Amino acid sequence: MGWTAGIKFTPGLLLLLLLLLLLLLLLPQGDCPRAAHARSLCYDFTILPKASPGQSWCEAQGQVNEKTFLSYDCGSQEVKSLSLLGEEVNGTRAWQEQMETLRDVGNLLRQQLLDVKREKYTDRDPLPLQRRMLCQCEANVRTRASWQFGSQGQTFLLFDSENRTWKVLHPRGRQMKEKWESDRDVTEFLRKISMGDCRSWLESFMVHWEKMLETTASPTMAPAIAQSRATAVMPITWVLAVTMLTCSLLLGL
């Protein structure tokens, strides 16, 4: 006999269960603000093991929703705004915190080049090393974050920030995995930046991003934006309507 055998499902009890279901549907399910589409923020680092005199040994580019908005020189710590969004968020608290963290990441990458003995390459000079930090708020408001390490567009090593797991995708990533996986401080540092700092910056930058879209939208685009927002609200509206109708039928209203 099931645990519900002794329960009498009266109209009042069913009404209560429906209301609880409605509350669960309306509650947020993650750390990111609710959005109709996924939002992303990433930083691509390119490191030159043998930089020429006067050449930067490390450069980074920041992208919001795959649109580049800044360029950063790890050596000189010079940052350039490359879009209207970069100009808009320049000077904000999130922008300043971002610069400080990029500097710390640059220092970590430099230390890596000094400590880790690079594998031999067939080319005369070692290939440029590439790092990518990505944080993403998906449509279901779930935060995802990761670090990718590789060269020439090929990923050697992947760090899943949420699960704190390392995955070797190419033999060249094995040495780095062995060194960093055993270093709890490095692992926690990478996780904190991608899961915490990056998500916070993304939320801040997206506020300015959406304001820019509203400001630059033409009159013909405005109805489309309004319709998109109305579409996003429709599921909640339908849930409310169905719930109220069901309650009315149960209570005989």
Side-chain angles (χ1 to χ4, degrees):
M1 183 178 294
W3 65 271
T4 59
I7 300 178
K8 183 177 181 181
F9 289 93
T10 63
L13 179 58
L14 290 175
L15 172 60
L16 178 61
L17 292 175
L18 285 172
L19 291 176
L20 290 175
L21 176 61
L22 175 61
L23 289 174
L24 290 174
L25 291 173
L26 296 179
L27 285 174
Q29 302 298 319
D31 296 328
C32 301
R34 186 173 296 276
H37 305 285
R39 303 170 172 182
S40 65
L41 174 62
C42 76
Y43 297 90
D44 290 319
F45 294 85
T46 301
I47 302 96
L48 300 178
K50 287 188 177 181
S52 303
Q55 184 180 19
S56 175
W57 65 272
C58 170
E59 293 182 351
Q61 285 193 341
Q63 300 178 2
V64 171
N65 289 354
E66 301 182 354
K67 304 294 183 182
T68 303
F69 72 101
L70 72 82
S71 175
Y72 178 73
D73 187 315
C74 305
S76 64
Q77 299 183 18
E78 179 183 3
V79 59
K80 297 179 181 178
S81 300
L82 302 180
S83 70
L84 291 177
L85 175 62
E87 297 293 339
E88 182 71 20
V89 300
N90 192 353
T92 63
R93 179 178 179 181
W95 179 273
Q96 182 61 34
E97 292 177 350
Q98 169 195 238
M99 292 302 99
E100 295 174 358
T101 303
L102 291 180
R103 179 196 61 202
D104 294 340
V105 172
N107 292 334
L108 175 65
L109 297 177
R110 166 173 282 185
Q111 190 63 39
Q112 171 203 344
L113 293 177
L114 295 175
D115 293 346
V116 177
K117 183 178 180 181
R118 296 188 300 272
E119 298 182 10
K120 295 181 179 180
Y121 293 86
T122 56
D123 298 337
R124 176 179 300 178
D125 294 324
L127 297 173
L129 304 177
Q130 296 168 338
R131 310 287 187 265
R132 162 172 281 203
M133 178 182 71
L134 170 68
C135 63
Q136 187 176 47
C137 292
E138 298 182 345
N140 62 354
V141 299
R142 180 182 179 86
T143 303
R144 300 182 65 87
S146 64
W147 285 82
Q148 300 175 19
F149 307 85
S151 181
Q152 291 189 320
Q154 183 178 16
T155 303
F156 298 163
L157 181 65
L158 176 66
F159 175 63
D160 186 327
S161 303
E162 183 178 4
N163 299 318
R164 295 185 177 88
T165 56
W166 296 86
K167 183 177 182 181
V168 176
L169 304 178
H170 188 278
R172 289 180 178 173
R174 186 172 296 112
Q175 184 181 7
M176 188 183 301
K177 174 181 181 293
E178 293 174 354
K179 176 179 176 58
W180 283 9
E181 187 177 35
S182 61
D183 193 328
R184 182 174 299 180
D185 291 338
V186 171
T187 299
E188 190 60 29
F189 176 72
L190 297 178
R191 181 182 183 277
K192 175 183 178 297
I193 294 175
S194 56
M195 289 292 292
D197 298 338
C198 184
R199 179 184 60 81
S200 176
W201 303 336
L202 176 58
E203 293 178 9
S204 177
F205 294 160
M206 287 306 302
V207 171
H208 295 275
W209 175 283
E210 293 175 353
K211 288 182 179 179
M212 289 173 53
L213 292 180
E214 293 177 358
T215 302
T216 58
S218 63
T220 56
M221 293 176 60
I225 296 176
Q227 182 178 1
S228 176
R229 291 178 177 176
T231 303
V233 179
M234 280 298 291
I236 296 178
T237 305
W238 277 107
V239 171
L240 287 171
V242 172
T243 302
M244 295 304 296
L245 177 60
T246 304
C247 293
S248 299
L249 293 175
L250 290 174
L251 297 179
L253 298 179

